Amino acid sequence: MPVVASDLIMLASLNMPSSDSGTSGGGIDVDQRVTFTQLPVSDTVKAVSSSAADTTQQVTARGRDISGNVVTETKTLTGTTPITFSTMGTVDRLLKVSMNADAAGTVTISTTLGVTIATIPIGERGFMAYMREAVAAAGSSKVFYHKVFIKNNGASTLTGGTVSISDPTGKIAFGLAASLGDTGSATTRLTDPGGISFSTAAAALPASLTAGTAIGVWIRNTHPAGDSSFDTDLTITISGTP
């Protein structure tokens, strides 16, 4: 059976810091995805499982409220009955959702108005924004480096693979790891990982993406001094011969 679009998923690296200290990158984190739909309008967030057995898993949501403050709340699943992150309140954007244990069912994160933000598949534990809580300095620019992985979650091989990006801001460049499944890292998210050729042009994979393998993608984001907060959509595309 050939590779289809749903077989190609984006996962986090083991180190995706929300501050400017601590290691960035490393190996693949098979529990956390980095793609999801943001809230179309500010709203409260809720979670529900497709399995009534899920009553012990703790779900932690982290976002920014309508004033720009980072807010967080942890609640325990109640099976197929939705839980609402009421203490966190109305949020403008969601930064990360994580569970402390696997669920028996699929966990859906949505808004009170019924917009699905993301689903957490069985065997995974959450999702996140790839460059959350990044703040530009008042007097100088900042350059951030984060690493994600594109994984072939199917049973077939993708050959002749090419990765490209679409960035409306013009502030982002990317580079591929030299080999599949690497564990390269940077000292902090402000440190160039070294050995990566950053560009906005499409890049060819170093090898065919066989079933279960993944390629590390480093994303470099340059923030001018005092850059104000903004919402944007970064699209990373992988194509090839299934």
Side-chain angles (χ1 to χ4, degrees):
M1 187 174 185
V3 177
V4 296
S6 59
D7 291 333
L8 302 171
I9 63 174
M10 187 171 294
L11 294 165
S13 56
L14 289 170
N15 302 292
M16 297 282 282
S18 59
S19 69
D20 295 345
S21 61
T23 302
S24 180
I28 190 171
D29 184 348
V30 296
D31 284 330
Q32 298 279 340
R33 298 200 187 194
V34 290
T35 54
F36 59 94
T37 301
Q38 273 294 2
L39 285 67
V41 294
S42 299
D43 201 354
T44 51
V45 176
K46 62 181 182 179
V48 65
S49 175
S50 62
S51 172
D54 290 326
T55 57
T56 60
Q57 296 86 352
Q58 291 186 326
V59 184
T60 300
R62 189 172 179 87
R64 285 193 185 274
D65 64 18
I66 55 178
S67 298
N69 302 306
V70 175
V71 289
T72 187
E73 183 177 357
T74 299
K75 302 205 72 164
T76 302
L77 287 175
T78 54
T80 56
T81 301
I83 55 173
T84 300
F85 294 89
S86 53
T87 302
M88 190 168 69
T90 301
V91 294
D92 175 64
R93 69 192 75 173
L94 202 55
L95 302 174
K96 184 177 182 179
V97 173
S98 59
M99 300 192 302
N100 70 337
D102 290 353
T106 298
V107 176
T108 299
I109 309 298
S110 62
T111 68
T112 300
L113 294 175
V115 177
T116 297
I117 301 168
T119 57
I120 303 174
I122 297 171
E124 296 181 22
R125 296 192 182 184
F127 58 91
M128 68 179 76
Y130 88 92
M131 200 184 70
R132 64 196 189 282
E133 300 176 51
V135 179
S140 61
S141 64
K142 270 189 176 182
V143 181
F144 297 90
Y145 300 88
H146 286 90
K147 184 184 185 183
V148 300
F149 283 86
I150 299 175
K151 181 183 178 183
N152 181 355
N153 215 31
S156 300
T157 297
L158 184 77
T159 60
T162 300
V163 176
S164 60
I165 64 168
S166 174
D167 165 36
T169 71
K171 300 174 182 178
I172 295 173
F174 79 101
L176 301 182
S179 60
L180 303 182
D182 82 299
T183 59
S185 63
T187 306
T188 72
R189 69 177 184 177
L190 298 180
T191 308
D192 190 316
I196 303 296
S197 178
F198 288 96
S199 175
T200 57
L205 266 62
S208 295
L209 203 62
T210 55
T213 62
I215 181 68
V217 183
W218 281 95
I219 304 170
R220 184 185 70 191
N221 194 318
T222 302
H223 280 238
D227 200 14
S228 59
S229 176
F230 60 90
D231 293 327
T232 188
D233 291 318
L234 170 66
T235 302
I236 300 178
T237 302
I238 181 169
S239 58
T241 302

PDB file of all heavy atoms in Angstrom, residues 165-178:
ATOM      1  N   ILE A 165       8.900  24.787   2.988  1.00  0.00           N
ATOM      2  CA  ILE A 165       8.112  25.544   3.947  1.00  0.00           C
ATOM      3  C   ILE A 165       7.372  26.680   3.249  1.00  0.00           C
ATOM      4  O   ILE A 165       7.776  27.150   2.189  1.00  0.00           O
ATOM      5  CB  ILE A 165       8.977  26.127   5.088  1.00  0.00           C
ATOM      6  CG1 ILE A 165       9.984  27.155   4.545  1.00  0.00           C
ATOM      7  CG2 ILE A 165       9.672  25.036   5.876  1.00  0.00           C
ATOM      8  CD1 ILE A 165      10.668  27.970   5.638  1.00  0.00           C
ATOM      9  N   SER A 166       6.286  27.104   3.888  1.00  0.00           N
ATOM     10  CA  SER A 166       5.569  28.301   3.474  1.00  0.00           C
ATOM     11  C   SER A 166       5.461  29.191   4.697  1.00  0.00           C
ATOM     12  O   SER A 166       4.843  28.816   5.697  1.00  0.00           O
ATOM     13  CB  SER A 166       4.179  27.936   2.945  1.00  0.00           C
ATOM     14  OG  SER A 166       3.427  29.108   2.678  1.00  0.00           O
ATOM     15  N   ASP A 167       6.096  30.351   4.640  1.00  0.00           N
ATOM     16  CA  ASP A 167       6.202  31.240   5.805  1.00  0.00           C
ATOM     17  C   ASP A 167       5.747  32.649   5.433  1.00  0.00           C
ATOM     18  O   ASP A 167       6.488  33.383   4.782  1.00  0.00           O
ATOM     19  CB  ASP A 167       7.644  31.254   6.316  1.00  0.00           C
ATOM     20  CG  ASP A 167       7.896  32.410   7.272  1.00  0.00           C
ATOM     21  OD1 ASP A 167       6.985  32.756   8.036  1.00  0.00           O
ATOM     22  OD2 ASP A 167       9.008  32.969   7.229  1.00  0.00           O
ATOM     23  N   PRO A 168       4.558  33.076   5.852  1.00  0.00           N
ATOM     24  CA  PRO A 168       4.060  34.403   5.516  1.00  0.00           C
ATOM     25  C   PRO A 168       4.887  35.545   6.116  1.00  0.00           C
ATOM     26  O   PRO A 168       4.851  36.665   5.613  1.00  0.00           O
ATOM     27  CB  PRO A 168       2.634  34.412   6.088  1.00  0.00           C
ATOM     28  CG  PRO A 168       2.272  32.975   6.261  1.00  0.00           C
ATOM     29  CD  PRO A 168       3.556  32.287   6.586  1.00  0.00           C
ATOM     30  N   THR A 169       5.640  35.269   7.177  1.00  0.00           N
ATOM     31  CA  THR A 169       6.368  36.340   7.872  1.00  0.00           C
ATOM     32  C   THR A 169       7.705  36.672   7.235  1.00  0.00           C
ATOM     33  O   THR A 169       8.241  37.761   7.428  1.00  0.00           O
ATOM     34  CB  THR A 169       6.627  35.951   9.341  1.00  0.00           C
ATOM     35  OG1 THR A 169       7.620  34.913   9.401  1.00  0.00           O
ATOM     36  CG2 THR A 169       5.356  35.469  10.013  1.00  0.00           C
ATOM     37  N   GLY A 170       8.297  35.725   6.501  1.00  0.00           N
ATOM     38  CA  GLY A 170       9.623  35.940   5.943  1.00  0.00           C
ATOM     39  C   GLY A 170      10.729  35.903   6.985  1.00  0.00           C
ATOM     40  O   GLY A 170      11.859  36.314   6.718  1.00  0.00           O
ATOM     41  N   LYS A 171      10.433  35.385   8.180  1.00  0.00           N
ATOM     42  CA  LYS A 171      11.400  35.365   9.275  1.00  0.00           C
ATOM     43  C   LYS A 171      11.972  33.971   9.533  1.00  0.00           C
ATOM     44  O   LYS A 171      12.825  33.803  10.401  1.00  0.00           O
ATOM     45  CB  LYS A 171      10.744  35.874  10.562  1.00  0.00           C
ATOM     46  CG  LYS A 171      10.213  37.293  10.454  1.00  0.00           C
ATOM     47  CD  LYS A 171       9.446  37.697  11.707  1.00  0.00           C
ATOM     48  CE  LYS A 171       8.883  39.106  11.576  1.00  0.00           C
ATOM     49  NZ  LYS A 171       8.100  39.512  12.752  1.00  0.00           N
ATOM     50  N   ILE A 172      11.501  32.991   8.785  1.00  0.00           N
ATOM     51  CA  ILE A 172      11.830  31.605   9.107  1.00  0.00           C
ATOM     52  C   ILE A 172      12.626  30.932   7.992  1.00  0.00           C
ATOM     53  O   ILE A 172      12.340  31.114   6.812  1.00  0.00           O
ATOM     54  CB  ILE A 172      10.544  30.805   9.390  1.00  0.00           C
ATOM     55  CG1 ILE A 172       9.858  31.356  10.646  1.00  0.00           C
ATOM     56  CG2 ILE A 172      10.834  29.322   9.558  1.00  0.00           C
ATOM     57  CD1 ILE A 172       8.499  30.764  10.919  1.00  0.00           C
ATOM     58  N   ALA A 173      13.644  30.181   8.396  1.00  0.00           N
ATOM     59  CA  ALA A 173      14.401  29.319   7.488  1.00  0.00           C
ATOM     60  C   ALA A 173      14.498  27.946   8.155  1.00  0.00           C
ATOM     61  O   ALA A 173      14.240  27.803   9.350  1.00  0.00           O
ATOM     62  CB  ALA A 173      15.789  29.889   7.224  1.00  0.00           C
ATOM     63  N   PHE A 174      14.859  26.930   7.379  1.00  0.00           N
ATOM     64  CA  PHE A 174      14.933  25.588   7.957  1.00  0.00           C
ATOM     65  C   PHE A 174      16.121  24.839   7.366  1.00  0.00           C
ATOM     66  O   PHE A 174      16.700  25.233   6.350  1.00  0.00           O
ATOM     67  CB  PHE A 174      13.638  24.811   7.706  1.00  0.00           C
ATOM     68  CG  PHE A 174      13.527  24.244   6.312  1.00  0.00           C
ATOM     69  CD1 PHE A 174      13.791  22.907   6.066  1.00  0.00           C
ATOM     70  CD2 PHE A 174      13.188  25.051   5.238  1.00  0.00           C
ATOM     71  CE1 PHE A 174      13.708  22.380   4.786  1.00  0.00           C
ATOM     72  CE2 PHE A 174      13.086  24.536   3.952  1.00  0.00           C
ATOM     73  CZ  PHE A 174      13.350  23.193   3.729  1.00  0.00           C
ATOM     74  N   GLY A 175      16.471  23.757   8.029  1.00  0.00           N
ATOM     75  CA  GLY A 175      17.537  22.883   7.533  1.00  0.00           C
ATOM     76  C   GLY A 175      17.294  21.468   8.008  1.00  0.00           C
ATOM     77  O   GLY A 175      16.747  21.247   9.091  1.00  0.00           O
ATOM     78  N   LEU A 176      17.690  20.498   7.190  1.00  0.00           N
ATOM     79  CA  LEU A 176      17.483  19.091   7.526  1.00  0.00           C
ATOM     80  C   LEU A 176      18.709  18.491   8.199  1.00  0.00           C
ATOM     81  O   LEU A 176      19.847  18.867   7.906  1.00  0.00           O
ATOM     82  CB  LEU A 176      17.173  18.284   6.257  1.00  0.00           C
ATOM     83  CG  LEU A 176      15.947  18.702   5.442  1.00  0.00           C
ATOM     84  CD1 LEU A 176      15.777  17.751   4.261  1.00  0.00           C
ATOM     85  CD2 LEU A 176      14.694  18.733   6.299  1.00  0.00           C
ATOM     86  N   ALA A 177      18.454  17.551   9.082  1.00  0.00           N
ATOM     87  CA  ALA A 177      19.546  16.777   9.670  1.00  0.00           C
ATOM     88  C   ALA A 177      20.231  15.965   8.581  1.00  0.00           C
ATOM     89  O   ALA A 177      19.643  15.659   7.542  1.00  0.00           O
ATOM     90  CB  ALA A 177      19.004  15.861  10.758  1.00  0.00           C
ATOM     91  N   ALA A 178      21.474  15.597   8.814  1.00  0.00           N
ATOM     92  CA  ALA A 178      22.261  14.888   7.804  1.00  0.00           C
ATOM     93  C   ALA A 178      21.838  13.442   7.631  1.00  0.00           C
ATOM     94  O   ALA A 178      22.149  12.818   6.614  1.00  0.00           O
ATOM     95  CB  ALA A 178      23.740  14.955   8.174  1.00  0.00           C
TER      96      ALA A 178
END
